[in-house]
Amino acid sequence: MLLSHRQLCLVLLCTTQFVALLDFSITMIPLPQIQHSLGFTPGGLQWVINAYGVAIAGFLLLGGRAADLFGRRRVFVAGLLLFTAASLLGGFSHSPAMLVATRALQGFGAALFSPAAFSLLLAVFPEPSRRNRALGAWTAVAASGFVAGLILGGFITDLLGWRWVLWINVPVGLLVLALSPALPQGRPDADTAAGTLDVCGALLVASGAATLVFAFANSEHVGLAHPLTFALVALALALLALFVWVEGRVAAPLMPLAVFGRRSTGGANIVSLLANTALGPTFVVVALAMQEVLAFSATRTGLGLLPMAVAFTLASAWAGPALIARCGTKPVIVGGMLLFIGGLTMLGASLPTLASWAASILPGTVLAGIGYGLAIPAWTVAGIDGVPEADHGLAGGMLTTTQEVGSAVGLAVGVAVSIAVLADGGTAAQGYSGAILVSACLVAAGLACAIAILPGKAARQEAAS
């Protein structure tokens, strides 16, 4: 059965978002093999992941605004070309520096095509009911892409070697590029096209995000309470504050404060940021626990994460959109995050006495997966609610930025917490538990923000009228 034009566009756009999230996690499982092959130091190894995360997080706003200014399909194709070329080069890496550099280049390419794909999706599905279903598919694919990276990373590493976790992107990228003429042009309107690109703002937000992630990553060597850690965090916050100050004064800001200042948009991005601080450390901690404590192989570890992937894929694609249509976005976000917190708490409590996968890992990961799967399409819909079409690329870039920054910072914090527990004489399992419980606290902060900031259905209807 042939796909309709809309269905083909949905498949192409969701495929690229799947790959963007997949590549954040696909190198997590083969990290020991990468370290052995290229000679990474233990501290430098996490930059195989964070170089990608920091690049995509730092330049997503630039990519979103570029898509709005220069045409969505044009920027989509350019970003995908860069991403595919970097994947090919990365597979040939012969040194740690080359791999980290190509991973950063992959992240920059994804920062261009991901927000462009999001705004193209909104253009293909302008009707609210179809748009919400399309966004449900989008968020399901995005969420499952992260876990699929862990699963495929294990299979590919065992069967073909770690280099193929990068080379697998090449045929996928070339296929999507060949079919990209089916996508709408996504031309900007006259007012938007007359704008300029805020390069200064892009450099400030990228520098702030990179410094924040580096502050926690470096704490592995100096400790969380070291003055250098506090100084780096302060520098990162200062750079981000300067970014906000600049955005309020330039003629064509990268992030118009009026858009982010909306309760629905700003609140959804804050919730996304805090919720996603749990995503990275949860998957990494569970993967490490299964390999180091339960002695699972890479392939078996990937299979052990499959129930969580299925849980939040089904919740994102089916249950989430149905509940949004019936209850609105805020109740679904609140309910989903309560389940997410409950799953993380169960997981964190069971890890110190890790007995088996079925008893200690399965219940908490499935509950967390359902909760996250319900909440992510709801905050995605809230994040674009009422945003003008000319700013859809920006809105998509903002949401993906908070997702990537949250995951990168959460991963760095999780590693730092685990190492701090080990330094105090705790076991590896206790360190993993501490990382998960800290993540649960950050998600609880996101839940509080959702309750306090996001407007309810009545408030949205009043604002619309």
Side-chain angles (χ1 to χ4, degrees):
M1 180 178 178
L2 294 177
L3 296 175
S4 69
H5 180 258
R6 279 188 170 190
Q7 289 171 331
L8 176 60
C9 291
L10 179 63
V11 169
L12 291 177
L13 296 171
C14 285
T15 297
T16 55
Q17 185 65 2
F18 178 86
V19 169
L21 272 294
L22 174 111
D23 263 74
F24 186 81
S25 60
I26 198 169
T27 55
M28 291 179 179
I29 297 295
L31 284 178
Q33 291 85 350
I34 293 172
Q35 183 178 19
H36 177 76
S37 175
L38 298 182
F40 272 93
T41 63
L45 193 60
Q46 65 178 295
W47 285 100
V48 175
I49 301 168
N50 280 340
Y52 180 85
V54 168
I56 191 173
F59 291 103
L60 271 165
L61 291 179
L62 180 68
R65 181 47 75 198
D68 291 336
L69 286 174
F70 305 127
R72 278 93 188 235
R73 192 173 76 183
R74 183 181 300 168
V75 173
F76 173 83
V77 169
L80 190 55
L81 274 171
L82 180 61
F83 176 87
T84 304
S87 299
L88 180 64
L89 288 173
F92 289 107
S93 293
H94 53 75
S95 68
M98 182 176 177
L99 181 58
V100 170
T102 53
R103 288 285 288 164
L105 198 59
Q106 277 185 300
F108 183 69
L112 295 178
F113 73 68
S114 183
F118 183 85
S119 55
L120 285 170
L121 183 77
L122 301 183
V124 173
F125 296 94
E127 307 91 343
S129 59
R130 290 189 174 185
R131 173 177 290 182
N132 287 351
R133 287 197 295 270
L135 286 173
W138 170 271
T139 54
V141 166
S144 61
F146 192 97
V147 174
L150 296 171
I151 297 169
L152 290 176
F155 277 117
I156 292 171
T157 300
D158 281 346
L159 292 175
L160 301 171
W162 69 265
R163 296 180 187 276
W164 279 96
V165 302
L166 299 173
W167 286 335
I168 194 69
N169 296 320
V170 177
V172 176
L174 292 176
L175 178 61
V176 174
L177 286 167
L179 296 173
S180 63
L183 298 171
Q185 290 279 357
R187 293 188 180 94
D189 57 38
D191 291 338
T192 305
T196 57
L197 203 57
D198 179 16
V199 177
C200 178
L203 292 176
L204 283 172
V205 71
S207 300
T211 304
L212 187 62
V213 175
F214 179 74
F216 291 105
N218 189 63
S219 69
E220 174 185 350
H221 306 291
V222 299
L224 280 171
H226 195 277
L228 179 59
T229 301
F230 286 107
L232 288 170
V233 170
L235 175 60
L237 295 178
L239 288 169
L240 295 174
L242 182 59
F243 165 71
V244 173
W245 182 83
V246 167
E247 296 305 281
R249 283 156 180 80
V250 296
L254 187 67
M255 186 186 74
L257 299 183
V259 175
F260 190 78
R262 294 169 43 85
R263 282 183 64 186
S264 183
T265 303
N269 277 276
I270 292 171
V271 171
S272 173
L273 176 70
L274 291 168
N276 280 290
T277 57
L279 201 62
T282 298
F283 290 124
V284 173
V285 161
V286 172
L288 288 173
M290 284 193 283
Q291 290 184 87
E292 296 184 3
V293 181
L294 298 178
F296 279 22
S297 67
T299 298
R300 197 177 175 194
T301 298
L303 290 174
L305 292 165
L306 188 58
M308 185 177 187
V310 172
F312 68 54
T313 298
L314 293 177
S316 297
W318 302 105
L323 288 172
I324 292 167
R326 178 176 297 181
C327 308
T329 54
K330 184 172 182 176
V332 177
I333 292 171
V334 171
M337 291 186 72
L338 282 171
L339 293 176
F340 192 23
I341 294 166
L344 292 172
T345 304
M346 288 176 58
L347 183 61
S350 65
L351 283 177
T353 55
L354 186 56
S356 68
W357 170 83
S360 302
I361 291 176
L362 179 63
T365 53
V366 169
L367 184 61
I370 293 171
Y372 183 86
L374 291 174
I376 186 173
W379 75 56
T380 301
V381 172
I384 63 165
D385 188 26
V387 175
E389 184 178 351
D391 291 323
H392 278 170
L394 169 68
M398 289 166 62
L399 283 167
T400 316
T401 295
T402 54
Q403 181 173 320
E404 296 290 347
V405 170
S407 293
V409 171
L411 176 58
V413 171
V415 170
V417 169
S418 296
I419 289 174
V421 172
L422 286 172
D424 287 340
T427 65
Q430 289 171 336
Y432 298 151
S433 173
I436 294 294
L437 293 176
V438 168
S439 297
C441 293
L442 292 170
V443 178
L447 173 62
C449 291
I451 295 171
I453 299 173
L454 291 175
K457 184 180 291 187
R460 292 201 315 274
Q461 290 173 345
E462 182 180 345
S465 61

